[in-house]
Amino acid sequence: EAGVTQSPTHLIKTRGQQATLRCSPISGHTSVYWYQQALGLGLQFLLWYDEGEERNRGNFPPRFSGRQFPNYSSELNVNALELEDSALYLCASSPGTGVRETQYFGPGTRLLVL
Amino acid sequence: DAKTTQPPSMDCAEGRAANLPCNHSTISGNEYVYWYRQIHSQGPQYIIHGLKNNETNEMASLIITEDRKSSTLILPHATLRDTAVYYCIVRAGSGSARQLTFGSGTQLTVLP
């Protein structure tokens, strides 16, 4: 069974540009989570999508946004990039709602903002 | 979600059992304990989770104390490839707070 996939693996942008990161969940999973791991910092929750709807977001500015498509894949968009947006962006998927759902992570996209 | 406390680092000899402790003294009755690990900035890998009974799978065992205020992850025969940051996470999963809240974790170094 294929795991969570993310693309691209690496992305280099300059300050002020926009970045689009993509995530394909495990087949059958309907929930997608996005996390940011900046250098020297822990993993921080960004966004949660389930059944095409944004269910929750972390403490990030509105220039971090995303969407979930009918096939449950997801995009994370970061507008007006700042240097501190340089980080590893991780996507995780889970089967959906329920207390015992387990999140499975992809390999991440490493974004570098110059 | 309840906060967790883990030692920042631990060493373990290759082939020996690695016992990683986690304190979650404010855990609520409906909160599960999850363990993940992250190897060298790869995506976190799910290891195991439990509510109140001890759990075992092909990777590890999870021992939860009777009062559920602490737990121990056991890697029975640690190998060099088990060197990673191990995260203990407590999560309820109800309502809108389904995300995982990662702390600093424990850096486990398996020594040859």
Side-chain angles (χ1 to χ4, degrees):
Chain A
E1 179 183 286
V4 177
T5 59
Q6 294 186 243
S7 63
T9 55
H10 293 80
L11 189 58
I12 300 175
K13 295 286 186 178
T14 56
R15 196 170 55 180
Q17 286 188 313
Q18 178 196 43
T20 298
L21 290 65
R22 297 177 177 83
C23 172
S24 292
I26 292 172
S27 177
H29 287 193
T30 61
S31 274
V32 170
Y33 299 78
W34 288 94
Y35 295 84
Q36 181 199 65
Q37 187 173 31
L39 188 64
L41 299 178
L43 286 95
Q44 297 185 73
F45 167 68
L46 267 167
L47 289 159
W48 167 36
Y49 292 95
D50 182 63
E51 296 286 357
E53 301 286 332
E54 181 182 305
R55 301 298 185 182
N56 198 13
R57 67 179 292 129
N59 188 25
F60 282 84
R63 59 190 185 83
F64 286 84
S65 65
R67 55 181 172 168
Q68 186 178 33
F69 299 98
N71 66 354
Y72 303 112
S73 66
S74 177
E75 273 184 2
L76 174 68
N77 296 293
V78 188
N79 295 318
L81 284 165
E82 300 179 1
L83 298 179
E84 52 265 35
D85 296 334
S86 295
L88 179 66
Y89 288 85
L90 293 157
C91 169
S93 74
S94 74
T97 59
V99 173
R100 302 205 288 179
E101 69 194 47
T102 298
Q103 295 180 29
Y104 297 90
F105 285 79
T109 292
R110 191 165 295 281
L111 172 64
L112 177 62
V113 182
L114 302 175
Chain B
D1 292 344
K3 289 186 65 176
T4 61
T5 304
Q6 299 178 252
S9 64
M10 294 181 64
D11 291 340
C12 176
E14 187 177 20
R16 304 297 293 269
N19 297 278
L20 292 90
C22 179
N23 183 286
H24 32 79
S25 58
T26 60
I27 192 170
S28 300
N30 65 342
E31 291 181 317
Y32 283 71
V33 180
Y34 284 80
W35 283 84
Y36 284 79
R37 71 181 182 184
Q38 187 175 28
I39 299 173
H40 194 54
S41 292
Q42 298 175 19
Q45 179 186 23
Y46 165 76
I47 301 173
I48 198 167
H49 74 278
L51 181 62
K52 54 184 177 181
N53 297 320
N54 297 339
E55 302 287 345
T56 296
N57 62 20
E58 65 278 4
M59 289 184 66
S61 295
L62 174 60
I63 308 299
I64 303 174
T65 58
E66 193 169 339
D67 63 7
R68 301 209 325 121
K69 293 184 177 182
S70 66
S71 61
T72 301
L73 178 74
I74 301 172
L75 307 178
H77 306 286
T79 71
L80 299 179
R81 287 177 293 181
D82 292 322
T83 292
V85 178
Y86 286 77
Y87 296 99
C88 169
I89 300 165
V90 172
R91 190 193 71 147
S94 61
S96 62
R98 304 288 177 85
Q99 67 271 13
L100 299 171
T101 301
F102 288 81
S104 302
T106 296
Q107 171 66 59
L108 174 69
T109 302
V110 180
L111 303 171

PDB file of all heavy atoms in Angstrom, chain B residues 64-94:
ATOM      1  N   ILE B  64       1.586   1.586  29.948  1.00  0.00           N
ATOM      2  CA  ILE B  64       0.923   2.738  30.547  1.00  0.00           C
ATOM      3  C   ILE B  64       0.621   2.404  31.998  1.00  0.00           C
ATOM      4  O   ILE B  64       0.057   1.345  32.299  1.00  0.00           O
ATOM      5  CB  ILE B  64      -0.381   3.091  29.796  1.00  0.00           C
ATOM      6  CG1 ILE B  64      -0.083   3.345  28.310  1.00  0.00           C
ATOM      7  CG2 ILE B  64      -1.059   4.311  30.413  1.00  0.00           C
ATOM      8  CD1 ILE B  64      -1.326   3.560  27.459  1.00  0.00           C
ATOM      9  N   THR B  65       1.001   3.295  32.914  1.00  0.00           N
ATOM     10  CA  THR B  65       0.754   3.038  34.327  1.00  0.00           C
ATOM     11  C   THR B  65      -0.745   3.014  34.613  1.00  0.00           C
ATOM     12  O   THR B  65      -1.549   3.561  33.841  1.00  0.00           O
ATOM     13  CB  THR B  65       1.427   4.105  35.196  1.00  0.00           C
ATOM     14  OG1 THR B  65       0.932   5.403  34.819  1.00  0.00           O
ATOM     15  CG2 THR B  65       2.940   4.071  35.030  1.00  0.00           C
ATOM     16  N   GLU B  66      -1.088   2.402  35.712  1.00  0.00           N
ATOM     17  CA  GLU B  66      -2.505   2.227  36.037  1.00  0.00           C
ATOM     18  C   GLU B  66      -3.222   3.567  36.189  1.00  0.00           C
ATOM     19  O   GLU B  66      -4.392   3.703  35.806  1.00  0.00           O
ATOM     20  CB  GLU B  66      -2.642   1.422  37.331  1.00  0.00           C
ATOM     21  CG  GLU B  66      -4.053   0.924  37.581  1.00  0.00           C
ATOM     22  CD  GLU B  66      -4.119  -0.090  38.711  1.00  0.00           C
ATOM     23  OE1 GLU B  66      -3.080  -0.696  39.043  1.00  0.00           O
ATOM     24  OE2 GLU B  66      -5.217  -0.269  39.266  1.00  0.00           O
ATOM     25  N   ASP B  67      -2.542   4.561  36.734  1.00  0.00           N
ATOM     26  CA  ASP B  67      -3.172   5.879  36.885  1.00  0.00           C
ATOM     27  C   ASP B  67      -3.074   6.716  35.603  1.00  0.00           C
ATOM     28  O   ASP B  67      -3.587   7.834  35.548  1.00  0.00           O
ATOM     29  CB  ASP B  67      -2.558   6.660  38.057  1.00  0.00           C
ATOM     30  CG  ASP B  67      -1.082   6.961  37.864  1.00  0.00           C
ATOM     31  OD1 ASP B  67      -0.538   6.694  36.764  1.00  0.00           O
ATOM     32  OD2 ASP B  67      -0.461   7.456  38.797  1.00  0.00           O
ATOM     33  N   ARG B  68      -2.435   6.149  34.587  1.00  0.00           N
ATOM     34  CA  ARG B  68      -2.285   6.743  33.234  1.00  0.00           C
ATOM     35  C   ARG B  68      -1.488   8.047  33.237  1.00  0.00           C
ATOM     36  O   ARG B  68      -1.488   8.762  32.245  1.00  0.00           O
ATOM     37  CB  ARG B  68      -3.656   6.995  32.600  1.00  0.00           C
ATOM     38  CG  ARG B  68      -4.488   5.754  32.464  1.00  0.00           C
ATOM     39  CD  ARG B  68      -5.471   5.734  31.329  1.00  0.00           C
ATOM     40  NE  ARG B  68      -6.068   7.014  31.029  1.00  0.00           N
ATOM     41  CZ  ARG B  68      -5.983   7.613  29.855  1.00  0.00           C
ATOM     42  NH1 ARG B  68      -5.310   7.072  28.876  1.00  0.00           N
ATOM     43  NH2 ARG B  68      -6.570   8.774  29.657  1.00  0.00           N
ATOM     44  N   LYS B  69      -0.777   8.320  34.301  1.00  0.00           N
ATOM     45  CA  LYS B  69      -0.030   9.571  34.355  1.00  0.00           C
ATOM     46  C   LYS B  69       1.347   9.470  33.719  1.00  0.00           C
ATOM     47  O   LYS B  69       2.049  10.477  33.567  1.00  0.00           O
ATOM     48  CB  LYS B  69       0.075  10.054  35.802  1.00  0.00           C
ATOM     49  CG  LYS B  69      -1.268  10.458  36.389  1.00  0.00           C
ATOM     50  CD  LYS B  69      -1.137  11.025  37.781  1.00  0.00           C
ATOM     51  CE  LYS B  69      -2.497  11.491  38.302  1.00  0.00           C
ATOM     52  NZ  LYS B  69      -2.418  12.103  39.640  1.00  0.00           N
ATOM     53  N   SER B  70       1.757   8.289  33.370  1.00  0.00           N
ATOM     54  CA  SER B  70       3.028   8.138  32.675  1.00  0.00           C
ATOM     55  C   SER B  70       3.012   6.874  31.828  1.00  0.00           C
ATOM     56  O   SER B  70       2.144   6.005  32.007  1.00  0.00           O
ATOM     57  CB  SER B  70       4.199   8.090  33.659  1.00  0.00           C
ATOM     58  OG  SER B  70       4.116   6.934  34.454  1.00  0.00           O
ATOM     59  N   SER B  71       3.941   6.808  30.903  1.00  0.00           N
ATOM     60  CA  SER B  71       4.047   5.634  30.045  1.00  0.00           C
ATOM     61  C   SER B  71       5.504   5.431  29.654  1.00  0.00           C
ATOM     62  O   SER B  71       6.351   6.331  29.817  1.00  0.00           O
ATOM     63  CB  SER B  71       3.172   5.788  28.796  1.00  0.00           C
ATOM     64  OG  SER B  71       3.566   6.914  28.018  1.00  0.00           O
ATOM     65  N   THR B  72       5.789   4.235  29.155  1.00  0.00           N
ATOM     66  CA  THR B  72       7.134   3.898  28.697  1.00  0.00           C
ATOM     67  C   THR B  72       7.034   3.199  27.347  1.00  0.00           C
ATOM     68  O   THR B  72       6.255   2.247  27.198  1.00  0.00           O
ATOM     69  CB  THR B  72       7.858   2.980  29.694  1.00  0.00           C
ATOM     70  OG1 THR B  72       7.950   3.636  30.958  1.00  0.00           O
ATOM     71  CG2 THR B  72       9.258   2.644  29.196  1.00  0.00           C
ATOM     72  N   LEU B  73       7.797   3.676  26.402  1.00  0.00           N
ATOM     73  CA  LEU B  73       7.928   3.004  25.112  1.00  0.00           C
ATOM     74  C   LEU B  73       9.143   2.093  25.191  1.00  0.00           C
ATOM     75  O   LEU B  73      10.227   2.532  25.585  1.00  0.00           O
ATOM     76  CB  LEU B  73       8.103   4.021  23.986  1.00  0.00           C
ATOM     77  CG  LEU B  73       8.299   3.426  22.601  1.00  0.00           C
ATOM     78  CD1 LEU B  73       6.979   2.879  22.073  1.00  0.00           C
ATOM     79  CD2 LEU B  73       8.873   4.453  21.632  1.00  0.00           C
ATOM     80  N   ILE B  74       8.971   0.850  24.807  1.00  0.00           N
ATOM     81  CA  ILE B  74      10.072  -0.104  24.863  1.00  0.00           C
ATOM     82  C   ILE B  74      10.392  -0.609  23.462  1.00  0.00           C
ATOM     83  O   ILE B  74       9.522  -1.164  22.773  1.00  0.00           O
ATOM     84  CB  ILE B  74       9.727  -1.296  25.777  1.00  0.00           C
ATOM     85  CG1 ILE B  74       9.424  -0.809  27.196  1.00  0.00           C
ATOM     86  CG2 ILE B  74      10.879  -2.305  25.794  1.00  0.00           C
ATOM     87  CD1 ILE B  74       8.893  -1.891  28.120  1.00  0.00           C
ATOM     88  N   LEU B  75      11.632  -0.391  23.045  1.00  0.00           N
ATOM     89  CA  LEU B  75      12.150  -1.008  21.830  1.00  0.00           C
ATOM     90  C   LEU B  75      12.967  -2.208  22.298  1.00  0.00           C
ATOM     91  O   LEU B  75      14.024  -2.035  22.901  1.00  0.00           O
ATOM     92  CB  LEU B  75      13.031  -0.027  21.053  1.00  0.00           C
ATOM     93  CG  LEU B  75      12.419   1.342  20.719  1.00  0.00           C
ATOM     94  CD1 LEU B  75      13.430   2.215  19.985  1.00  0.00           C
ATOM     95  CD2 LEU B  75      11.150   1.183  19.914  1.00  0.00           C
ATOM     96  N   PRO B  76      12.512  -3.410  22.056  1.00  0.00           N
ATOM     97  CA  PRO B  76      13.100  -4.575  22.737  1.00  0.00           C
ATOM     98  C   PRO B  76      14.552  -4.855  22.382  1.00  0.00           C
ATOM     99  O   PRO B  76      15.318  -5.281  23.249  1.00  0.00           O
ATOM    100  CB  PRO B  76      12.182  -5.727  22.320  1.00  0.00           C
ATOM    101  CG  PRO B  76      11.481  -5.257  21.098  1.00  0.00           C
ATOM    102  CD  PRO B  76      11.362  -3.772  21.220  1.00  0.00           C
ATOM    103  N   HIS B  77      14.932  -4.648  21.162  1.00  0.00           N
ATOM    104  CA  HIS B  77      16.309  -4.911  20.733  1.00  0.00           C
ATOM    105  C   HIS B  77      16.750  -3.761  19.817  1.00  0.00           C
ATOM    106  O   HIS B  77      16.601  -3.829  18.603  1.00  0.00           O
ATOM    107  CB  HIS B  77      16.413  -6.248  20.001  1.00  0.00           C
ATOM    108  CG  HIS B  77      15.879  -7.410  20.766  1.00  0.00           C
ATOM    109  ND1 HIS B  77      16.562  -7.958  21.846  1.00  0.00           N
ATOM    110  CD2 HIS B  77      14.726  -8.115  20.649  1.00  0.00           C
ATOM    111  CE1 HIS B  77      15.844  -8.953  22.334  1.00  0.00           C
ATOM    112  NE2 HIS B  77      14.733  -9.071  21.641  1.00  0.00           N
ATOM    113  N   ALA B  78      17.251  -2.716  20.423  1.00  0.00           N
ATOM    114  CA  ALA B  78      17.563  -1.504  19.657  1.00  0.00           C
ATOM    115  C   ALA B  78      18.678  -1.758  18.639  1.00  0.00           C
ATOM    116  O   ALA B  78      19.664  -2.468  18.914  1.00  0.00           O
ATOM    117  CB  ALA B  78      17.970  -0.382  20.597  1.00  0.00           C
ATOM    118  N   THR B  79      18.506  -1.176  17.464  1.00  0.00           N
ATOM    119  CA  THR B  79      19.542  -1.221  16.431  1.00  0.00           C
ATOM    120  C   THR B  79      19.969   0.214  16.116  1.00  0.00           C
ATOM    121  O   THR B  79      19.308   1.180  16.523  1.00  0.00           O
ATOM    122  CB  THR B  79      19.022  -1.884  15.144  1.00  0.00           C
ATOM    123  OG1 THR B  79      18.082  -0.999  14.519  1.00  0.00           O
ATOM    124  CG2 THR B  79      18.365  -3.224  15.435  1.00  0.00           C
ATOM    125  N   LEU B  80      21.041   0.326  15.367  1.00  0.00           N
ATOM    126  CA  LEU B  80      21.543   1.661  15.014  1.00  0.00           C
ATOM    127  C   LEU B  80      20.478   2.465  14.274  1.00  0.00           C
ATOM    128  O   LEU B  80      20.417   3.692  14.375  1.00  0.00           O
ATOM    129  CB  LEU B  80      22.809   1.545  14.181  1.00  0.00           C
ATOM    130  CG  LEU B  80      23.998   0.850  14.852  1.00  0.00           C
ATOM    131  CD1 LEU B  80      25.191   0.785  13.892  1.00  0.00           C
ATOM    132  CD2 LEU B  80      24.408   1.540  16.137  1.00  0.00           C
ATOM    133  N   ARG B  81      19.627   1.759  13.522  1.00  0.00           N
ATOM    134  CA  ARG B  81      18.592   2.444  12.749  1.00  0.00           C
ATOM    135  C   ARG B  81      17.468   2.997  13.622  1.00  0.00           C
ATOM    136  O   ARG B  81      16.589   3.716  13.128  1.00  0.00           O
ATOM    137  CB  ARG B  81      18.005   1.497  11.708  1.00  0.00           C
ATOM    138  CG  ARG B  81      18.951   1.221  10.542  1.00  0.00           C
ATOM    139  CD  ARG B  81      18.361   0.221   9.581  1.00  0.00           C
ATOM    140  NE  ARG B  81      18.239  -1.106  10.172  1.00  0.00           N
ATOM    141  CZ  ARG B  81      17.779  -2.167   9.533  1.00  0.00           C
ATOM    142  NH1 ARG B  81      17.373  -2.064   8.294  1.00  0.00           N
ATOM    143  NH2 ARG B  81      17.715  -3.333  10.143  1.00  0.00           N
ATOM    144  N   ASP B  82      17.482   2.652  14.904  1.00  0.00           N
ATOM    145  CA  ASP B  82      16.480   3.212  15.816  1.00  0.00           C
ATOM    146  C   ASP B  82      16.903   4.571  16.362  1.00  0.00           C
ATOM    147  O   ASP B  82      16.146   5.193  17.131  1.00  0.00           O
ATOM    148  CB  ASP B  82      16.235   2.243  16.976  1.00  0.00           C
ATOM    149  CG  ASP B  82      15.548   0.969  16.527  1.00  0.00           C
ATOM    150  OD1 ASP B  82      14.665   1.057  15.646  1.00  0.00           O
ATOM    151  OD2 ASP B  82      15.902  -0.109  17.047  1.00  0.00           O
ATOM    152  N   THR B  83      18.092   5.023  16.023  1.00  0.00           N
ATOM    153  CA  THR B  83      18.524   6.358  16.440  1.00  0.00           C
ATOM    154  C   THR B  83      17.595   7.395  15.805  1.00  0.00           C
ATOM    155  O   THR B  83      17.465   7.460  14.578  1.00  0.00           O
ATOM    156  CB  THR B  83      19.978   6.620  16.020  1.00  0.00           C
ATOM    157  OG1 THR B  83      20.840   5.772  16.766  1.00  0.00           O
ATOM    158  CG2 THR B  83      20.370   8.070  16.271  1.00  0.00           C
ATOM    159  N   ALA B  84      16.920   8.172  16.639  1.00  0.00           N
ATOM    160  CA  ALA B  84      15.902   9.105  16.169  1.00  0.00           C
ATOM    161  C   ALA B  84      15.418   9.965  17.332  1.00  0.00           C
ATOM    162  O   ALA B  84      15.770   9.722  18.488  1.00  0.00           O
ATOM    163  CB  ALA B  84      14.706   8.343  15.577  1.00  0.00           C
ATOM    164  N   VAL B  85      14.589  10.938  17.018  1.00  0.00           N
ATOM    165  CA  VAL B  85      13.877  11.688  18.046  1.00  0.00           C
ATOM    166  C   VAL B  85      12.518  11.024  18.241  1.00  0.00           C
ATOM    167  O   VAL B  85      11.785  10.812  17.264  1.00  0.00           O
ATOM    168  CB  VAL B  85      13.682  13.168  17.662  1.00  0.00           C
ATOM    169  CG1 VAL B  85      12.889  13.900  18.748  1.00  0.00           C
ATOM    170  CG2 VAL B  85      15.042  13.840  17.448  1.00  0.00           C
ATOM    171  N   TYR B  86      12.214  10.677  19.472  1.00  0.00           N
ATOM    172  CA  TYR B  86      10.973   9.985  19.798  1.00  0.00           C
ATOM    173  C   TYR B  86      10.023  10.966  20.492  1.00  0.00           C
ATOM    174  O   TYR B  86      10.387  11.621  21.466  1.00  0.00           O
ATOM    175  CB  TYR B  86      11.260   8.784  20.693  1.00  0.00           C
ATOM    176  CG  TYR B  86      11.887   7.653  19.930  1.00  0.00           C
ATOM    177  CD1 TYR B  86      13.235   7.695  19.576  1.00  0.00           C
ATOM    178  CD2 TYR B  86      11.145   6.542  19.531  1.00  0.00           C
ATOM    179  CE1 TYR B  86      13.820   6.676  18.845  1.00  0.00           C
ATOM    180  CE2 TYR B  86      11.724   5.519  18.809  1.00  0.00           C
ATOM    181  CZ  TYR B  86      13.054   5.590  18.465  1.00  0.00           C
ATOM    182  OH  TYR B  86      13.622   4.581  17.738  1.00  0.00           O
ATOM    183  N   TYR B  87       8.806  11.029  19.971  1.00  0.00           N
ATOM    184  CA  TYR B  87       7.807  11.950  20.499  1.00  0.00           C
ATOM    185  C   TYR B  87       6.669  11.188  21.163  1.00  0.00           C
ATOM    186  O   TYR B  87       6.105  10.267  20.563  1.00  0.00           O
ATOM    187  CB  TYR B  87       7.206  12.799  19.377  1.00  0.00           C
ATOM    188  CG  TYR B  87       8.178  13.716  18.677  1.00  0.00           C
ATOM    189  CD1 TYR B  87       8.737  13.365  17.462  1.00  0.00           C
ATOM    190  CD2 TYR B  87       8.514  14.952  19.226  1.00  0.00           C
ATOM    191  CE1 TYR B  87       9.620  14.214  16.805  1.00  0.00           C
ATOM    192  CE2 TYR B  87       9.395  15.805  18.577  1.00  0.00           C
ATOM    193  CZ  TYR B  87       9.941  15.423  17.366  1.00  0.00           C
ATOM    194  OH  TYR B  87      10.809  16.264  16.720  1.00  0.00           O
ATOM    195  N   CYS B  88       6.343  11.599  22.364  1.00  0.00           N
ATOM    196  CA  CYS B  88       5.189  11.098  23.092  1.00  0.00           C
ATOM    197  C   CYS B  88       4.113  12.172  23.005  1.00  0.00           C
ATOM    198  O   CYS B  88       4.363  13.334  23.348  1.00  0.00           O
ATOM    199  CB  CYS B  88       5.586  10.827  24.543  1.00  0.00           C
ATOM    200  SG  CYS B  88       4.224  10.497  25.675  1.00  0.00           S
ATOM    201  N   ILE B  89       2.931  11.814  22.536  1.00  0.00           N
ATOM    202  CA  ILE B  89       1.869  12.789  22.296  1.00  0.00           C
ATOM    203  C   ILE B  89       0.581  12.269  22.904  1.00  0.00           C
ATOM    204  O   ILE B  89       0.251  11.093  22.756  1.00  0.00           O
ATOM    205  CB  ILE B  89       1.674  13.009  20.785  1.00  0.00           C
ATOM    206  CG1 ILE B  89       2.967  13.533  20.148  1.00  0.00           C
ATOM    207  CG2 ILE B  89       0.517  13.973  20.517  1.00  0.00           C
ATOM    208  CD1 ILE B  89       2.982  13.447  18.636  1.00  0.00           C
ATOM    209  N   VAL B  90      -0.133  13.171  23.563  1.00  0.00           N
ATOM    210  CA  VAL B  90      -1.427  12.825  24.116  1.00  0.00           C
ATOM    211  C   VAL B  90      -2.496  13.565  23.329  1.00  0.00           C
ATOM    212  O   VAL B  90      -2.389  14.768  23.112  1.00  0.00           O
ATOM    213  CB  VAL B  90      -1.501  13.192  25.610  1.00  0.00           C
ATOM    214  CG1 VAL B  90      -2.912  13.020  26.129  1.00  0.00           C
ATOM    215  CG2 VAL B  90      -0.531  12.344  26.407  1.00  0.00           C
ATOM    216  N   ARG B  91      -3.514  12.842  22.915  1.00  0.00           N
ATOM    217  CA  ARG B  91      -4.525  13.471  22.065  1.00  0.00           C
ATOM    218  C   ARG B  91      -5.878  12.842  22.294  1.00  0.00           C
ATOM    219  O   ARG B  91      -5.998  11.643  22.388  1.00  0.00           O
ATOM    220  CB  ARG B  91      -4.142  13.312  20.594  1.00  0.00           C
ATOM    221  CG  ARG B  91      -5.002  14.133  19.654  1.00  0.00           C
ATOM    222  CD  ARG B  91      -4.795  13.712  18.244  1.00  0.00           C
ATOM    223  NE  ARG B  91      -5.370  12.396  17.997  1.00  0.00           N
ATOM    224  CZ  ARG B  91      -5.902  12.025  16.847  1.00  0.00           C
ATOM    225  NH1 ARG B  91      -5.944  12.887  15.853  1.00  0.00           N
ATOM    226  NH2 ARG B  91      -6.368  10.829  16.675  1.00  0.00           N
ATOM    227  N   ALA B  92      -6.909  13.690  22.336  1.00  0.00           N
ATOM    228  CA  ALA B  92      -8.261  13.200  22.509  1.00  0.00           C
ATOM    229  C   ALA B  92      -8.915  12.889  21.168  1.00  0.00           C
ATOM    230  O   ALA B  92      -9.494  11.848  20.973  1.00  0.00           O
ATOM    231  CB  ALA B  92      -9.109  14.209  23.271  1.00  0.00           C
ATOM    232  N   GLY B  93      -8.824  13.803  20.232  1.00  0.00           N
ATOM    233  CA  GLY B  93      -9.403  13.549  18.921  1.00  0.00           C
ATOM    234  C   GLY B  93     -10.851  13.927  18.781  1.00  0.00           C
ATOM    235  O   GLY B  93     -11.440  13.715  17.731  1.00  0.00           O
ATOM    236  N   SER B  94     -11.443  14.476  19.794  1.00  0.00           N
ATOM    237  CA  SER B  94     -12.830  14.898  19.660  1.00  0.00           C
ATOM    238  C   SER B  94     -12.880  16.378  19.336  1.00  0.00           C
ATOM    239  O   SER B  94     -11.921  17.113  19.571  1.00  0.00           O
ATOM    240  CB  SER B  94     -13.602  14.624  20.954  1.00  0.00           C
ATOM    241  OG  SER B  94     -13.044  15.349  22.022  1.00  0.00           O
TER     242      SER B  94
END
